[in-house]
Amino acid sequence: LVSLLARIADWCLNDDENDKTNELPLFPGNAGDRRTDIVIEISRIFFVLRVAATKSNKTTASLFQRLVVRILTLRNNNTAASSSTSSEDPRIYQCQLATVSLLMDAPPQCSDWLVEYDCIDTLLQMLQTQVSEVVDRSGSGPTELMPILLVLNKFASTNTKFLNATKEFIFPLDAETDTFQPKAKAEMEKCGNQGLGAKNMAPLDAPKGSLRWKLVRLMTWTESYTKRATGELLWTLCGNDPREFVLRTGFGNALPLLSLKGHIQLPAGAT
């Protein structure tokens, strides 16, 4: 069943105008084309069956990998869409959201082929979009952020290239060199080696409107699961270093997670 469904989805995802064996128009097609619905439904079936977490034969695993890669690279591969507004087709985005849910069950080693086939950029752009929808426009419930936060944290925790790409996206290199590193050095010199060695109450470099500023805001969000998942992702990007975590997020924002990690003891009843 899994093999059959994967092949049907693969057939729907015609994104090569030079492929003469597939008579379908380039994915996702016109407004009346229902192939995106088919792909999304197949992804949902795979999620229910926990296909990504199930030990399967090499053929099924290969088909699953191919399906995920094709969906996450649709915008890059669809040359017809790349020169028009259809590259932002919301139907493609919905297919990619369904794929992220599948990756929640995927084993950590899947990060190897996500890196190899340049899927990280799509995942990071999805993070940017979803965080902005929650923080800026309240266009979706904060729980909808959970899949992308969990997926990025899982793969960043086990793959150095994945971690570096994610960290550079959230903390751009130019800002690191020009702003964060000088401020971090000054803060460390001021505090010395006492305690965490950093007691800045606000993030040292999180300009309003930036992705890192929005993520820091989510650390104090009212929805506890999103708050925890955001903190865990930033903790991973800081290399599990409590000092860097405080410098990047601010002491007050960092306190709850630092307490959970055993670096600070909060009074009884504090949250």
Side-chain angles (χ1 to χ4, degrees), residues 5 19-20 35 53 56 82-83 114 123 127 137 143 150 169 171 174 178 183-184 208 214 216 222 245:
L5 291 174
D19 184 4
K20 305 304 181 183
R35 283 177 293 160
S56 55
S82 63
S83 59
L114 288 171
L123 294 172
L127 173 71
R137 298 185 292 273
T143 53
L150 295 174
F169 185 81
F171 305 108
D174 56 346
D178 298 338
K183 287 186 176 181
K208 186 174 182 178
K214 295 171 186 177
V216 170
T222 55
F245 189 63

Side-chain angles (χ1 to χ4, degrees), residues 153-230:
N153 186 45
K154 173 171 62 176
F155 294 138
S157 298
T158 57
N159 187 299
T160 301
K161 290 182 179 179
F162 200 104
L163 184 148
N164 290 339
T166 305
K167 187 170 184 176
E168 184 175 336
F169 185 81
I170 296 174
F171 305 108
L173 289 179
D174 56 346
E176 287 289 289
T177 303
D178 298 338
T179 306
F180 177 75
Q181 294 299 339
K183 287 186 176 181
K185 182 179 179 181
E187 180 69 21
M188 296 299 291
E189 289 175 350
K190 180 175 66 177
C191 295
N193 293 320
Q194 298 179 0
L196 293 174
K199 293 185 178 179
N200 51 295
M201 292 307 296
L204 293 186
D205 177 43
K208 186 174 182 178
S210 65
L211 177 57
R212 53 196 184 279
W213 177 81
K214 295 171 186 177
L215 288 169
V216 170
R217 283 199 64 191
L218 286 174
M219 292 178 66
T220 58
W221 217 246
T222 55
E223 203 282 311
S224 60
Y225 293 107
T226 298
K227 177 166 56 179
R228 174 69 184 272
T230 303

Side-chain angles (χ1 to χ4, degrees), residues 14-33:
N14 177 31
D15 57 352
D16 184 359
E17 59 186 351
N18 297 316
D19 184 4
K20 305 304 181 183
T21 64
N22 194 332
E23 297 180 356
L24 292 173
L26 291 177
F27 189 84
N30 59 36
D33 198 316

Side-chain angles (χ1 to χ4, degrees), residues 2-3 6 51-52 54-69 107 110 113:
V2 171
S3 178
V51 169
T54 304
K55 292 183 179 180
S56 55
N57 59 57
K58 291 183 179 181
T59 300
T60 302
S62 178
L63 287 169
F64 172 75
Q65 175 183 322
R66 176 178 169 82
L67 176 63
V68 171
V69 170
C110 287
W113 49 261

